[in-house]
């Protein structure tokens, strides 16, 4: 409660307002999330059938999307058993990530961290005997990327998860590689081959998490590195899908 109050006091002296509509944030909850109640409610994501491979909404397919099927035909079974994605990277959702990432708004981290927590719960439902079986692992940023935005916004979420007593391990290290942005799907996979290495004892079950997923090549490369280093099962969560 005291930590939440600090955000309200900060909002009183240095008002940021709601990250999406700019309205004043008036109570503890609003200041904690950096969003007014209406905007928070409007960020409910999408419902409907999802692909069991990449987590993206299915259009007319069943089970797995066309892209996942094609890829499995081409390169066999994936290292990442299942991926959950939360928000489309469009409209207000895109603005939300922009405000968090480039506006360095830590309050929005509280909102996003809760989404990761509930996605982890639905990927691997906790039971009375095993409350949390998998260990969460942030996808490490490309070396040099931090300099551009000034902070590691995925690492900040890892800190929040740890504060909420979830098991987190930074067991991967990323070696320099070309930016994925200019590459097509196939080259994204080869560009990342061998670019992630395990640096710590690898947990048996790992849930990777990242901010945006495009082709899923980054999660797949991380999952392959974890499995090569001894992980039995690897899952993935991405807050936004492009
Ligand atoms: Zn608002
Ligand atoms: Zn898919």
């Amino acid at each position: 409660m005291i930590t939440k109050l600090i955000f309200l006091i900060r909002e009183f002296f240095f008002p940021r307002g709601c990250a999406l509509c700019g309205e004043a944030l008036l109570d503890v909850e609003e200041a904690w999330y950096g969003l007014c109640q209406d905007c928070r409610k409007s960020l409910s994501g999408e419902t409907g059938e999802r692909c069991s491979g990449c987590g993206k909404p299915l259009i007319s397919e069943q089970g797995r999307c066309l892209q996942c099927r094609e890829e499995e035909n081409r390169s066999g079974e994936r290292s990442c058993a299942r991926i959950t994605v939360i928000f489309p990277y469009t409209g207000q959702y895109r603005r939300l990530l922009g405000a968090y990432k480039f506006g360095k708004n830590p309050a929005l981290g509280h909102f996003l961290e809760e989404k990761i927590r509930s996605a982890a719960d639905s990927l691997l439902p906790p039971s009375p005997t095993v409350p949390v079986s998998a260990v969460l692992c942030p996808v490490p940023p490309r070396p040099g990327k931090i300099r551009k935005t000034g902070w590691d916004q995925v690492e900040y979420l890892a800190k929040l998860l740890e504060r909420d007593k979830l098991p987190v391990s930074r067991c991967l290290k990323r070696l320099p590689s070309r930016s994925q942005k200019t590459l097509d799907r196939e080259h994204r996979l080869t560009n990342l081959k061998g670019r992630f290495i395990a640096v710590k004892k690898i947990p048996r079950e790992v849930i990777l998490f990242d901010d945006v997923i495009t082709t899923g090549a980054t999660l797949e490369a991380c999952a392959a590195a974890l499995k090569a280093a001894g992980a039995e099962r690897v899952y993935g969560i991405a807050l936004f899908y492009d």
Side-chain angles (χ1 to χ4, degrees), residues 51 54 65 68:
C51 170
C54 68
C65 74
C68 281

Side-chain angles (χ1 to χ4, degrees), residues 49-238:
E49 282 291 298
R50 298 297 186 107
C51 170
S52 59
C54 68
K56 294 183 186 178
L58 291 172
I59 306 156
S60 57
E61 311 100 325
Q62 274 191 335
R64 298 211 158 203
C65 74
L66 205 65
Q67 208 164 45
C68 281
R69 281 174 210 214
E70 277 175 9
E71 206 162 287
E72 278 158 14
N73 286 341
R74 202 172 38 232
S75 39
E77 208 196 323
R78 290 195 195 173
S79 304
C80 207
R82 229 165 84 204
I83 297 174
T84 293
V85 296
I86 301 165
F87 300 125
Y89 192 46
T90 53
Q92 58 182 358
Y93 300 108
R94 198 182 175 115
R95 278 172 46 225
L96 173 72
L97 183 63
Y100 173 58
K101 204 164 162 174
F102 304 109
K104 282 195 211 169
N105 187 339
L108 298 173
H110 301 141
F111 178 79
L112 297 172
E113 183 246 352
E114 280 187 13
K115 297 291 165 192
I116 292 179
R117 250 174 24 202
S118 50
D121 281 349
S122 59
L123 265 174
L124 297 174
S127 74
T129 44
V130 193
V132 193
S133 61
V135 175
L136 288 146
C137 169
V139 169
R142 210 152 48 82
K145 196 187 156 201
I146 302 301
R147 256 175 281 141
K148 242 165 97 186
T149 52
W151 68 313
D152 183 347
Q153 65 278 351
V154 177
E155 168 55 28
Y156 184 71
L157 296 173
K159 285 207 181 84
L160 294 179
L161 289 161
E162 276 180 319
R163 196 201 53 197
D164 284 338
K165 312 269 183 289
L166 271 89
V168 173
S169 173
R170 294 158 184 86
C171 49
L172 282 178
K173 192 181 167 214
R174 190 170 186 157
L175 304 173
S177 61
R178 268 179 71 192
S179 165
Q180 293 282 87
K181 284 200 176 112
T182 54
L183 303 172
D184 63 20
R185 196 180 173 80
E186 220 161 301
H187 288 105
R188 281 178 183 234
L189 279 170
T190 44
N191 183 42
L192 289 175
K193 214 164 187 172
R195 298 285 87 190
F196 291 94
I197 45 169
V199 286
K200 280 185 186 173
K201 191 177 169 287
I202 300 298
R204 205 170 57 82
E205 277 193 313
V206 184
I207 302 179
L208 290 158
F209 65 94
D210 205 355
D211 51 0
V212 186
I213 187 172
T214 308
T215 61
T218 306
L219 281 181
E220 183 57 23
C222 288
L226 289 169
K227 282 196 132 176
E232 275 170 37
R233 289 192 53 89
V234 182
Y235 305 89
I237 294 172

